[in-house]
Amino acid sequence: MAMRQTPLTCSGHTRPVVDLAFSGITPYGYFLISACKDGKPMLRQGDTGDWIGTFLGHKGAVWGATLNNEATKAATAAADFTAKVWDAVTGDEVLTLAHKHIVKSVNFTQDSSCLLTGGNDKIIRIYDLNKPEAEPQEITGHTSAIKKALWCNNDTQILSAADDKTVRLWDRNSTEVVKQLSFDMSVSSMEYIPDGEVLVITYGKTIAFYNALSLDMIKTVDAPASIHSASLHPDKDFFVAGGDDFKLYKFDYGTKEELESYKGHFGPVHCVRFSPDGELYASGSEDGTLRLWQTAVGKTYGLWKCVLPGEFSSIWHGIGKVLTGAWFPPDVMLGIHAKEFNLGFISPENLVSHVLRVL
Amino acid sequence: MRPHVSVLRLPRGPDPNGRGFDPNSPRFIALCPTTISASTETGTDSVQIREEQRARSVLRESFLRTLIAMTNKQVQFHMYERVKVEAKFGASDIDVLNFQVSELHTPIGVQKEALLRCQDVISYSFDL
């Protein structure tokens, strides 16, 4: 019987989560950073959502956050007119880069030597992190606030999306624009997939896929609601999207068919990204939470456990009040209870009478 | 009704008492053998590292002792934008991000209780 998706809710932020990013796969697993309007970006273990630390220092809403591949450095862009670079192991602030307006986007090169920033002053900046006092290289051209600026084509080019309804491809050395895409409305998000050079752009209810080198359109897919963010699976078989109607949608990339939709968030979904191994995707919402969703529902991975039919499993409350409930047949699984609780699995022989709560 | 996928537990949330980055985690221990990296180059003598660490320990301890000595004393704070305020120092938070002060004398009046953001403080002085 097909199982129902159980998203894992990561709480801790007190205001809307507006951006999130995964690191690459490191010897310690992979990591997730979330940008929040409460000004306190958080680092979490990518496969479980466990909180690792909070980067303290920004004095305004954090609009963008990113990790380098090794998850040793983090960068954040904030409404306090600064971009900050952090040591992602100790949580210490390493660098503050002053800007003249709200910074919206930050992105490391593959070798973490340079940081790209973009924001409301309409200028793309390239900082050499080995020479942070040096003036950044500036790329001008956009006529409105920049939403996102990303390295592409092996860090030789830059892709930027701005409120001027354009997406532009720049050459890093000449700082000239190579190609430009114009839309009827503002682009809400952009994701770059280096492997295969795919660019995922969302605007209105549309999720569009482009070749990142030529900016030729590959395909577009329309969703039932206005979409704020989308992400393509590393194997390019699925993509997920979320937006105004609070739901997460999963589509087949090849057939463009809507496969599943999931309710769970209590506010619009602002960002969604697949993990580097494609096993889960994370969404950030206006409701202040991040949720982790399984790509293959029912698979044992991270905190999700697959229970085979006929196998007894039960969850018992280890602290305080015992919850009322009912005994359920083996293949109906148990839900989640908030607050502190202990979980354990008891084999059926040891089970005398336990009560369970189902959500 | 279709069954829900089961979970082992919920993701762990933030610790209300600190900013995290557990120094006892395997990742921290492996990637941060010493926090002196800022001032040393590769291949530095281990004696120098020990010396520096000793100096850092002494300085840190002195700093923490000054915070203790400052309790309930009148402290003058020099802050950005040529701001000079005086207050009775109460306490610092664990990461030295905020100072809790009382009777903060400001150009627009006296604030009974206030939190000073440490990032905004350039220097402070008090009589022992």
Side-chain angles (χ1 to χ4, degrees):
Chain A
M1 180 179 0
M3 308 280 279
R4 285 221 274 169
Q5 168 94 259
T6 305
L8 291 168
T9 303
C10 308
S11 52
H13 283 305
T14 53
R15 298 225 35 229
V17 176
V18 290
D19 193 24
L20 63 90
F22 280 99
S23 69
I25 297 175
T26 81
Y28 304 93
Y30 57 87
F31 300 85
L32 170 61
I33 188 171
S34 49
C36 182
K37 286 191 184 176
D38 63 12
K40 303 193 186 119
M42 292 188 180
L43 184 71
R44 293 177 187 271
Q45 192 71 41
D47 62 338
T48 58
D50 288 337
W51 175 79
I52 293 174
T54 303
F55 298 101
L56 296 173
H58 273 302
K59 298 181 196 175
V62 176
W63 287 101
T66 191
L67 291 166
N68 65 351
N69 281 333
E70 304 78 32
T72 51
K73 287 193 199 166
T76 50
D80 61 5
F81 293 12
T82 68
K84 287 184 191 272
V85 178
W86 312 79
D87 180 318
V89 184
T90 63
D92 294 333
E93 187 183 313
V94 164
L95 204 53
T96 295
L97 303 165
H99 288 63
K100 302 214 166 55
H101 211 308
I102 296 170
V103 193
K104 284 274 176 75
S105 170
V106 272
N107 195 230
F108 285 106
T109 47
Q110 292 295 309
D111 63 1
S112 315
S113 63
C114 292
L115 185 74
L116 191 63
T117 70
N120 288 14
D121 65 357
K122 314 168 200 166
I123 301 172
I124 297 166
R125 288 189 177 79
I126 301 169
Y127 289 88
D128 179 348
L129 296 177
N130 297 315
K131 282 188 282 200
E133 336 74 37
E135 283 301 306
Q137 210 185 341
E138 291 188 359
I139 300 181
T140 53
H142 274 298
T143 55
S144 273
I146 294 165
K147 256 206 175 89
K148 203 107 187 157
L150 301 170
W151 292 106
C152 64
N153 197 1
N154 239 341
D155 301 333
T156 60
Q157 292 181 312
I158 292 160
L159 278 162
S160 60
D163 285 340
D164 57 13
K165 304 178 194 162
T166 67
V167 166
R168 300 183 197 207
L169 178 65
W170 313 82
D171 180 276
R172 176 211 189 137
N173 293 318
S174 69
T175 74
E176 301 276 302
V177 71
V178 169
K179 199 134 190 234
Q180 184 166 317
L181 291 171
S182 294
F183 299 90
D184 294 329
M185 59 193 101
S186 233
V187 165
S188 47
S189 80
M190 196 165 72
E191 183 193 41
Y192 167 67
I193 319 275
D195 176 23
E197 297 290 345
V198 179
L199 183 62
V200 183
I201 293 173
T202 59
Y203 53 89
K205 295 187 183 177
T206 308
I207 304 122
F209 301 88
Y210 285 80
N211 176 304
L213 300 172
S214 63
L215 291 193
D216 288 333
M217 188 174 79
I218 302 172
K219 63 176 81 175
T220 65
V221 180
D222 281 339
S226 199
I227 295 297
H228 294 179
S229 178
S231 182
L232 180 62
H233 189 276
D235 296 338
K236 301 183 189 56
D237 39 12
F238 310 109
F239 66 93
V240 288
D244 270 345
D245 68 355
F246 311 0
K247 291 190 199 169
L248 265 296
Y249 291 95
K250 185 177 173 190
F251 291 84
D252 182 301
Y253 181 58
T255 65
K256 308 207 291 189
E257 192 194 331
E258 183 192 314
L259 298 169
E260 281 274 8
S261 66
Y262 301 111
K263 289 200 253 188
H265 277 297
F266 297 103
V269 175
H270 289 308
C271 45
V272 61
R273 281 290 179 269
F274 268 106
S275 62
D277 62 1
E279 296 282 353
L280 58 81
Y281 45 101
S283 58
S285 164
E286 184 77 11
D287 66 11
T289 66
L290 280 116
R291 269 163 217 255
L292 302 181
W293 309 81
Q294 283 190 288
T295 303
V297 179
K299 191 173 169 185
T300 294
Y301 182 85
L303 298 177
W304 291 286
K305 181 166 160 60
C306 171
V307 175
L308 301 169
E311 187 183 296
F312 260 90
S313 251
S314 69
I315 295 174
W316 49 276
H317 199 281
I319 304 175
K321 283 206 287 228
V322 166
L323 309 164
T324 56
W327 185 238
F328 283 81
D331 52 319
V332 175
M333 285 326 299
L334 277 304
I336 303 151
H337 188 280
K339 310 260 177 200
E340 303 89 40
F341 62 132
N342 267 344
L343 292 173
F345 287 105
I346 318 170
S347 61
E349 308 87 77
N350 299 327
L351 208 60
V352 177
S353 76
H354 284 267
V355 288
L356 314 152
R357 167 120 178 198
V358 171
L359 287 174
Chain B
M1 192 186 89
R2 280 157 66 202
H4 278 269
V5 178
S6 63
V7 285
L8 298 173
R9 58 170 174 81
L10 289 181
R12 290 186 202 112
D15 170 12
N17 297 324
R19 66 182 179 122
F21 298 101
D22 181 13
N24 298 317
S25 71
R27 189 171 87 111
F28 193 109
I29 293 166
L31 299 175
C32 296
T34 162
T35 47
I36 311 180
S37 50
S39 54
T40 54
E41 283 144 38
T42 51
T44 307
D45 193 8
S46 68
V47 172
Q48 271 184 283
I49 296 179
R50 265 184 278 130
E51 287 295 312
E52 184 166 344
Q53 182 55 24
R54 212 168 292 148
R56 282 173 183 263
S57 303
V58 167
L59 288 170
R60 177 69 178 172
E61 192 175 335
S62 309
F63 171 67
L64 293 173
R65 288 191 189 282
T66 64
L67 288 181
I68 296 170
M70 246 163 57
T71 326
N72 294 327
K73 295 236 171 49
Q74 286 296 115
V75 181
Q76 293 84 41
F77 294 93
H78 290 253
M79 304 174 80
Y80 285 98
E81 301 295 334
R82 283 183 245 274
V83 170
K84 261 200 294 192
V85 289
E86 185 172 319
K88 188 160 78 108
F89 179 79
S92 165
D93 65 359
I94 188 111
D95 291 310
V96 195
L97 286 170
N98 297 292
F99 283 161
Q100 178 255 319
V101 297
S102 314
E103 303 299 319
L104 177 70
H105 290 256
T106 76
I108 53 163
V110 179
Q111 186 68 28
K112 250 180 104 129
E113 302 290 338
L115 274 182
L116 289 179
R117 197 164 44 193
C118 293
Q119 278 170 285
D120 299 341
V121 176
I122 299 172
S123 68
Y124 57 88
S125 56
F126 64 103
D127 294 325
L128 279 167

